[in-house]
DNA sequence: AAGGATGACAACCGCCTTATA
DNA sequence: CTATAAGGCGGTTGTCATCCT
């Protein structure tokens, strides 16, 4: 037999929470802490599903939540993270203290999406809409089309805080007519840090990428879309399919110390 | 003033993964 | 090992407030 059902579907209340229900839930959580959500409605005296209680607490009642609209810096961070992570709202929310995945998702759909479209940027691919239209017009063999999707560059948004609206993204190079972006022999990345790494050294010297498996770092990389296979081939990083990232840069490695890595790979400049 | 359109966001739904009997 | 519920997540809908005609 499996577990018992999360709640009795009959007699469960739906719809907006009342102040009284909020008070009961907050009192219960503050007194007993977060435990088995299934048990919460009964113990707290609520006619709600445990799932509904969890959602209400995590999205609205948690005392560490920030209220109000996302500020400009938070918005920029959301856009940057979305370019790397896509619609993985919980991962994005994990990088914004006091914000919930639901809140960020709502803000994206109601504000940021429209703002990007007004700026001529596709909110899904983060590419200029014009560039995308051109790509669709020119018919290409499937493999080439697939490559060009993976070859798109994450726009770089100016962070001078000078404007309420963002400037158009700076696309540092065209995505067409180039070898795959992760080809270490070309090292023609848009990100200066990435471009200055001697990737051939990285591939030839397995110890230079051991830093990826120290401590709990691997989990951290997952947050940025990087999922290195333990003991595998370092060239995994250059393969979008296996690494799971559209494009990577210094920020793809989070805020860890990369000095040993850059030293061992003879970083240029 | 009425009512339709739009914006904002809370809440629900359904699916997937993980945990457990 | 299997079946099934819990928990988590992303997509979608519902509701209320405000704006516009």
């Amino acid at each position: 037999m499996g577990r018992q059902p999360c709640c009795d579907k009959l007699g469960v209340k739906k719809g907006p929470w009342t102040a009284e229900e909020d008070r009961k839930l907050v009192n219960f959580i503050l007194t007993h802490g977060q435990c088995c959500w299934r048990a919460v409605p009964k113990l707290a005296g609520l006619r709600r599903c445990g799932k509904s209680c969890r959602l209400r607490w995590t999205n609205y009642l948690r005392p560490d939540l920030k209220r109000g609209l996302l500020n400009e810096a938070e918005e920029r961070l959301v856009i940057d993270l979305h370019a790397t992570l896509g619609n993985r709202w919980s991962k994005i929310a994990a990088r914004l203290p006091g914000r919930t995945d639901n809140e960020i998702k709502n803000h994206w759909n109601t504000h940021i999406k429209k703002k990007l479209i007004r700026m001529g940027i596709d909110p899904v691919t983060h590419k200029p809409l014009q560039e995308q239209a051109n790509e669709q017009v020119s018919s290409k063999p499937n493999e080439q089309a697939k490559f060009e999707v993976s070859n798109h560059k994450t726009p770089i948004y100016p962070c001078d805080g000078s404007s309420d609206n963002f400037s158009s993204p700076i696309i540092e190079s065209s995505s067409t007519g180039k070898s795959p972006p992760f080809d270490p022999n070309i090292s023609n990345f848009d990100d200066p840090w990435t471009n200055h790494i001697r990737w051939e050294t990285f591939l030839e010297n397995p110890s230079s990428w051991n830093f990826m498996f120290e401590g709990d770092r691997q989990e951290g990389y997952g947050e940025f879309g990087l999922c290195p296979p333990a003991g595998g081939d370092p060239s995994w990083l250059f393969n979008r399919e296996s690494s799971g990232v559209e494009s990577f840069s210094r920020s793809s490695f989070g805020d860890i110390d990369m000095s040993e890595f850059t030293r061992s790979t003879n970083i240029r400049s």
Side-chain angles (χ1 to χ4, degrees):
Chain A
M1 283 293 282
R3 294 181 178 179
Q4 294 173 324
C6 92
C7 56
D8 179 6
K9 296 281 180 194
L10 295 170
V12 169
K13 194 185 165 201
K14 283 181 166 186
W17 281 62
T18 64
E20 174 65 10
E21 287 177 312
D22 281 348
R23 192 186 56 75
K24 282 182 180 176
L25 183 57
V26 169
N27 282 344
F28 179 82
I29 300 290
L30 293 180
T31 308
H32 300 91
Q34 288 180 58
C35 59
C36 171
W37 286 111
R38 179 180 158 265
V40 167
K42 196 175 179 181
L43 296 171
L46 292 161
R47 286 174 52 220
R48 293 275 182 176
C49 174
K51 204 169 176 175
S52 179
C53 293
R54 181 179 61 82
L55 221 58
R56 182 65 179 170
W57 173 258
T58 55
N59 287 338
Y60 196 81
L61 299 173
R62 252 168 52 199
D64 61 322
L65 289 178
K66 281 187 196 169
R67 311 301 307 174
L69 288 172
L70 273 71
N71 62 36
E72 200 179 331
E74 287 175 317
E75 233 177 53
R76 285 210 174 86
L77 184 55
V78 168
I79 294 169
D80 284 345
L81 290 169
H82 186 273
T84 309
L85 300 169
N87 292 0
R88 291 156 76 189
W89 305 114
S90 62
K91 296 285 182 193
I92 293 172
R95 304 276 296 170
L96 284 94
R99 300 295 187 182
T100 69
D101 53 355
N102 206 38
E103 190 178 14
I104 292 168
K105 180 171 60 182
N106 282 332
H107 191 75
W108 178 271
N109 287 327
T110 55
H111 292 93
I112 302 177
K113 216 167 160 180
K114 290 168 190 169
K115 199 181 265 188
L116 290 176
I117 290 169
R118 275 203 307 273
M119 289 159 53
I121 300 164
D122 187 320
V124 177
T125 63
H126 293 253
K127 293 173 79 172
L129 288 165
Q130 185 56 48
E131 185 181 321
Q132 241 179 217
N134 291 343
E135 278 178 18
Q136 281 174 4
V137 166
S138 58
S139 57
K140 306 180 184 83
N142 282 347
E143 277 311 300
Q144 191 184 351
K146 223 162 70 182
F147 159 67
E148 293 206 2
V149 166
S150 73
N151 195 26
H152 94 261
K153 303 301 178 198
T154 300
I156 297 172
Y157 299 89
C159 292
D160 57 7
S162 58
S163 165
D164 183 36
N165 294 317
F166 305 131
S167 310
S168 295
I170 301 164
I171 304 299
E172 295 189 321
S173 69
S174 157
S175 66
T176 55
K178 232 165 72 168
S179 295
F182 291 171
D183 185 340
N185 296 317
I186 291 178
S187 293
N188 192 13
F189 303 95
D190 286 344
D191 176 64
W193 178 87
T194 319
N195 211 25
H196 286 140
I197 296 286
R198 281 194 188 282
W199 292 106
E200 62 274 28
T201 310
F202 173 70
L203 290 173
E204 287 162 13
N205 178 17
S207 66
S208 69
W209 85 312
N210 285 344
F211 74 98
M212 289 195 177
F213 302 101
E214 291 168 21
D216 57 1
R217 283 178 182 172
Q218 212 174 339
E219 196 183 335
Y221 296 132
E223 225 179 276
F224 292 92
L226 293 172
C227 310
D233 181 354
S235 62
W236 139 89
L237 188 58
F238 302 100
N239 183 338
R240 179 183 160 273
E241 293 299 319
S242 56
S243 70
V245 289
E246 295 284 340
S247 63
F248 71 93
S249 63
R250 171 66 185 84
S251 63
S252 302
F253 297 93
D255 45 23
I256 64 162
D257 179 10
M258 299 290 287
S259 55
E260 176 57 24
F261 171 71
T262 50
R263 191 198 58 74
S264 65
T265 51
N266 293 331
I267 190 165
R268 298 164 185 155
S269 85

